[in-house]
Amino acid sequence: MEVQERRLAVLIDAENISIKYVKVILDEISNYGIATYKRAYGDWTNPVLKGWKDEVLKNSITPMQSYSYTQGKNSTDSAMIIDAMDILYSGKVDGFCIVSSDSDFTRLASRLREAGMLVVGMGEKKTVEAFRTSCTMFKYLEVLAADDDNQSDISREDVEDSILKILIDNEANDRETTVGELGSKLSNRHADFDVRNYGYSKLSKFLESIETLTLTQHGDYITITRKESEVTKDQIEKMVTDTIKRSAGKTMSLPVLKQKIEKKFPGFKTSDYQYSRFSQFIKDMNGVIVKNNTVKLAGNDRRIR
């Protein structure tokens, strides 16, 4: 059965967005569906928007006039919001693309999502976090335009940590993780996540670059699993007990112990052993006791943990 593409309403704040981004906006939105509505808002009597005339004609964008009745007041925002709600209630679209770097559209994006709409936000790096996170996903125009000097506000380390947490959650529920599901969950956790921010064109290529992951092709989909650590838990457990035996008073704080493990086994992560907390990882070892952020050998304290 043929899958019907999403119908999308693309609403552009022309007074807030440069015309140089028009093509990349329309190219990007084609990845999510068909642009049923294409509208650009602004006061078209203003000479500042003169350059937009050729772009709206060339790309079949409908120019929506918004007169500035009062100096210093932006009627464009109100016009876009009213039109967005009219389109929503018409029931003719499955999602919206709001193109602006203006925080005034934060509540609109939240309201559209509450109605079950896909909301793709697009704007420049200056866009405030509140608007970015209110969208289902947010795309930086500088990145879409392939400006190499732009980087994501989300560190790669944060993204990799999120990936590990998603994999661990699925493993705990005996579920496999596909690239598609992982991409969706990453977007839910980080609205402005985009692999292009890290120099990749596809999520699968980005995942392949993470040494701790294994990707496996299954027909028309790909699964991701974590590589088993080359260092066994038994090896770490022996190192821990030996280290505490040599320490003063045969005790050691958890932070110091963690530093020693990381020095002995570079790349050590508790998530590689199905743990989210280092303290619990140590507590479950044989022969040691963890109390008040301090680790000691069980033989030194006969009290039950």
Side-chain angles (χ1 to χ4, degrees):
M1 185 176 70
E2 185 178 352
V3 179
Q4 186 175 0
E5 286 195 85
R6 286 193 186 98
R7 299 163 300 172
L8 304 172
V10 182
L11 310 180
I12 304 172
D13 181 358
E15 295 182 345
N16 189 264
I17 296 297
S18 170
I19 58 173
K20 69 179 181 180
Y21 293 124
V22 173
K23 185 179 185 303
V24 295
I25 291 167
L26 298 179
D27 285 348
E28 178 65 17
I29 206 61
S30 68
N31 294 324
Y32 306 99
I34 299 172
T36 303
Y37 293 85
K38 291 188 289 184
R39 297 180 177 180
Y41 296 78
D43 182 357
W44 301 101
T45 64
N46 190 332
V48 174
L49 297 182
K50 183 178 180 180
W52 273 85
K53 182 178 179 181
D54 291 339
E55 290 299 323
V56 296
L57 292 174
K58 184 169 61 178
N59 293 284
S60 298
I61 299 172
T62 303
M64 306 298 290
Q65 175 62 39
S66 301
Y67 290 105
S68 298
Y69 296 105
T70 305
Q71 187 175 3
K73 297 293 183 180
N74 190 348
S75 59
T76 296
D77 296 1
S78 299
M80 281 181 64
I81 293 169
I82 292 170
D83 275 7
M85 297 309 295
D86 285 344
I87 294 170
L88 171 65
Y89 290 127
S90 74
K92 294 180 180 179
V93 299
D94 307 300
F96 287 79
C97 175
I98 302 173
V99 187
S100 179
S101 302
D102 195 332
S103 62
D104 288 346
F105 296 107
T106 300
R107 183 66 189 107
L108 172 63
S110 298
R111 176 64 183 86
L112 295 174
R113 287 188 67 182
E114 289 170 359
M117 294 286 107
L118 170 74
V119 181
V120 181
M122 296 188 194
E124 296 179 327
K125 287 282 188 174
K126 63 184 179 182
T127 308
V128 297
E129 183 179 10
F131 177 42
R132 300 199 313 263
T133 56
S134 66
C135 300
T136 309
M137 61 186 73
F138 190 89
K139 305 296 179 181
Y140 290 119
L141 293 173
E142 297 95 332
V143 173
L144 297 181
D147 288 343
D148 293 335
D149 59 343
N150 285 285
Q151 297 179 346
S152 174
D153 288 340
I154 316 166
S155 71
R156 178 168 176 138
E157 184 178 5
D158 286 342
V159 173
E160 291 188 11
D161 284 345
S162 293
I163 290 171
L164 283 175
K165 289 175 182 176
I166 292 168
L167 292 175
I168 291 171
D169 286 344
N170 279 354
E171 288 169 5
N173 292 291
D174 295 323
R175 289 184 54 199
E176 66 179 11
T177 305
T178 64
V179 170
E181 179 195 5
L182 186 61
S184 177
K185 288 187 174 180
L186 282 174
S187 294
N188 289 339
R189 291 175 182 238
H190 309 286
D192 51 355
F193 169 73
D194 193 321
V195 292
R196 286 169 293 195
N197 292 330
Y198 309 94
Y200 296 87
S201 60
K202 292 183 178 180
L203 177 58
S204 58
K205 289 295 182 184
F206 174 74
L207 296 173
E208 287 174 359
S209 71
I210 302 176
E211 295 180 355
T212 57
L213 302 181
T214 298
L215 275 67
T216 307
Q217 184 77 48
H218 302 272
D220 59 352
Y221 70 96
I222 302 172
T223 58
I224 310 103
T225 54
R226 296 182 303 137
K227 291 179 182 176
E228 292 186 5
S229 174
E230 295 180 359
V231 180
T232 67
K233 186 179 178 182
D234 287 343
Q235 287 177 291
I236 297 176
E237 189 171 302
K238 184 178 185 306
M239 178 265 180
V240 167
T241 54
D242 289 346
T243 300
I244 296 174
K245 284 179 182 177
R246 294 192 300 267
S247 64
K250 300 191 184 310
T251 62
M252 185 171 293
S253 70
L254 279 171
V256 171
L257 180 59
K258 186 178 181 183
Q259 289 176 359
K260 289 184 177 295
I261 293 175
E262 289 172 342
K263 184 176 181 179
K264 175 73 174 178
F265 304 111
F268 164 78
K269 289 184 178 180
T270 54
S271 58
D272 290 340
Y273 305 89
Q274 313 294 322
Y275 287 86
S276 60
R277 293 183 179 179
F278 177 72
S279 58
Q280 191 61 51
F281 175 72
I282 299 299
K283 283 180 181 179
D284 286 351
M285 289 184 174
N286 294 319
V288 298
I289 294 172
V290 178
K291 186 177 181 181
N292 297 330
N293 211 36
T294 300
V295 187
K296 63 177 69 176
L297 296 178
N300 294 342
D301 191 334
R302 298 185 179 277
R303 286 171 293 180
I304 299 175
R305 280 182 285 176

